[in-house]
Amino acid sequence: MRRYPLAVAASILTCASFSACSSDDESDMPESPQSDVKTVRITAVEYNPAPGQFVNEMPAYLPGMTREQMQAAALSAIQSGRGVSLGAFGGHIIMTLAEPIKHREDGKDFKVLGNAFRGSAEPGVVEVSADGTQWYPLFGQYWVDAERDFNITYHRPEPDASPEQYIRWTSTSGWSGWMMRNPGFHTDHSYFPEWEDGATTLTFNAIKLPKNWTIESATGNYFGIAWWGYADSYPNNDDEAWLNLFNAVDENNSRVSVDNIRYVKVTTGVINSNPVTGECSTEVMGIQIKND
């Protein structure tokens, strides 16, 4: 297994805006699939996104759609490869697989396809299960700095909310901040899941990873650094995009033996902030395994 240095402690975010890690440029679309892999058919999903600029777009929400209809839309989007957005930190999807994924000796067990590209990584924590009840996260780079059970609540925006203070978020840890509206894109629809009719808040509890975005002071450009072991971090065709069931751990971060799985959960794992592109959100396009 490739070894990496330990991370520095995550920077504390107070009263910060979220960042987005995607663009409308074609360069962020998934690469053509490799010939030695195949797509695993997904038979069911449980889709629970946090607010975000691609929510209500991936998949598309139409007025009057119910939560059940959005689940069906999310399944169709995954099956077709169009993908879904999980929104900001805590948003997640659970996928039921038509066939089990088994552990391989080479550790290249499966990939969760996303739309990451060089300089734009949106790490999603991956959890696996054989029965849909007992879940184990797969540890990845800088896992030592991850914070389990981070509780966050998003508050529905007011009609006259400003772009800089669009959706307020609070946490039980005492941190709070604002999700901005993207200044250049996705300005004509709500970032709050529209099918959650009547809900004034959405609360999530998830594993929070440290920040992976940095700014180049000379140019003002933002870069999302790719980390191994997560979804939507490395480009799909990169060797580092493979996930290894050997890295499954329990609540005490002790390794557990997982030989095969039938369920995969992906959760946006990072709270990031930059004023250029909006919030950081993991996208999921499907799952692939080796074709041998």
Side-chain angles (χ1 to χ4, degrees):
M1 182 176 69
R2 183 172 179 179
R3 296 183 181 273
Y4 294 84
L6 296 179
V8 297
S11 299
I12 295 178
L13 303 177
T14 55
C15 299
S17 301
F18 276 73
S19 71
C21 316
S22 296
S23 76
D24 283 355
D25 189 275
E26 290 184 356
S27 62
D28 71 353
M29 296 307 294
E31 302 153 293
S32 299
Q34 297 167 304
S35 59
D36 62 340
V37 300
K38 68 176 183 178
T39 299
V40 177
R41 189 167 67 89
I42 308 301
T43 61
V45 300
E46 181 182 328
Y47 177 57
N48 293 291
Q53 62 185 302
F54 290 100
V55 173
N56 301 315
E57 286 191 347
M58 295 177 61
Y61 168 83
L62 300 177
M65 288 180 70
T66 64
R67 179 174 179 79
E68 289 71 24
Q69 289 171 321
M70 285 303 298
Q71 299 299 313
L75 176 60
S76 176
I78 289 289
Q79 290 176 335
S80 68
R82 297 190 306 273
V84 301
S85 175
L86 305 184
F89 171 78
H92 58 273
I93 188 170
I94 296 174
M95 295 171 282
T96 302
L97 314 178
E99 59 181 295
I101 293 176
K102 299 179 180 180
H103 178 54
R104 296 167 51 95
E105 289 187 3
D106 62 6
K108 297 180 178 181
D109 295 335
F110 69 105
K111 295 181 180 182
V112 176
L113 303 180
N115 62 356
F117 59 98
R118 299 299 177 187
S120 182
E122 307 174 282
V125 174
V126 178
E127 298 175 68
V128 297
S129 176
D131 58 9
T133 301
Q134 180 66 62
W135 291 91
Y136 299 106
L138 303 182
F139 76 81
Q141 193 169 357
Y142 298 150
W143 188 255
V144 66
D145 297 310
E147 182 177 347
R148 288 181 181 255
D149 296 321
F150 189 91
N151 189 281
I152 191 168
T153 297
Y154 301 94
H155 302 261
R156 183 181 288 273
E158 298 294 333
D160 59 350
S162 69
E164 294 78 17
Q165 296 184 343
Y166 180 51
I167 293 177
R168 181 166 174 75
W169 61 268
T170 55
S171 68
T172 54
S173 67
W175 297 4
S176 63
W178 294 91
M179 179 189 297
M180 298 179 357
R181 285 192 72 93
N182 187 301
F185 303 96
H186 312 285
T187 59
D188 59 352
H189 70 274
S190 173
Y191 290 10
F192 210 85
E194 293 281 27
W195 60 94
E196 299 290 359
D197 188 33
T200 58
T201 61
L202 292 176
T203 298
F204 299 88
N205 186 283
I207 298 171
K208 184 176 75 65
L209 302 175
K211 292 175 63 177
N212 72 312
W213 277 70
T214 185
I215 184 172
E216 186 180 68
S217 58
T219 64
N221 292 330
Y222 288 86
F223 296 93
I225 302 169
W227 295 341
W228 64 267
Y230 304 106
D232 201 21
S233 185
Y234 277 91
N236 292 333
N237 286 351
D238 198 300
D239 237 21
E240 299 286 3
W242 286 107
L243 299 172
N244 189 347
L245 292 178
F246 180 74
N247 293 337
V249 294
D250 63 16
E251 65 275 10
N252 298 313
N253 284 332
S254 298
R255 289 185 186 271
V256 294
S257 177
V258 178
D259 295 325
N260 67 84
I261 58 171
R262 291 298 294 263
Y263 303 87
V264 174
K265 179 179 180 180
V266 183
T267 304
T268 300
V270 174
I271 301 175
N272 263 343
S273 169
N274 80 64
V276 177
T277 53
E279 95 288 340
C280 180
S281 53
T282 302
E283 274 75 55
V284 176
M285 309 291 185
I287 293 177
Q288 286 183 343
I289 59 176
K290 284 287 189 179
N291 196 23
D292 55 16

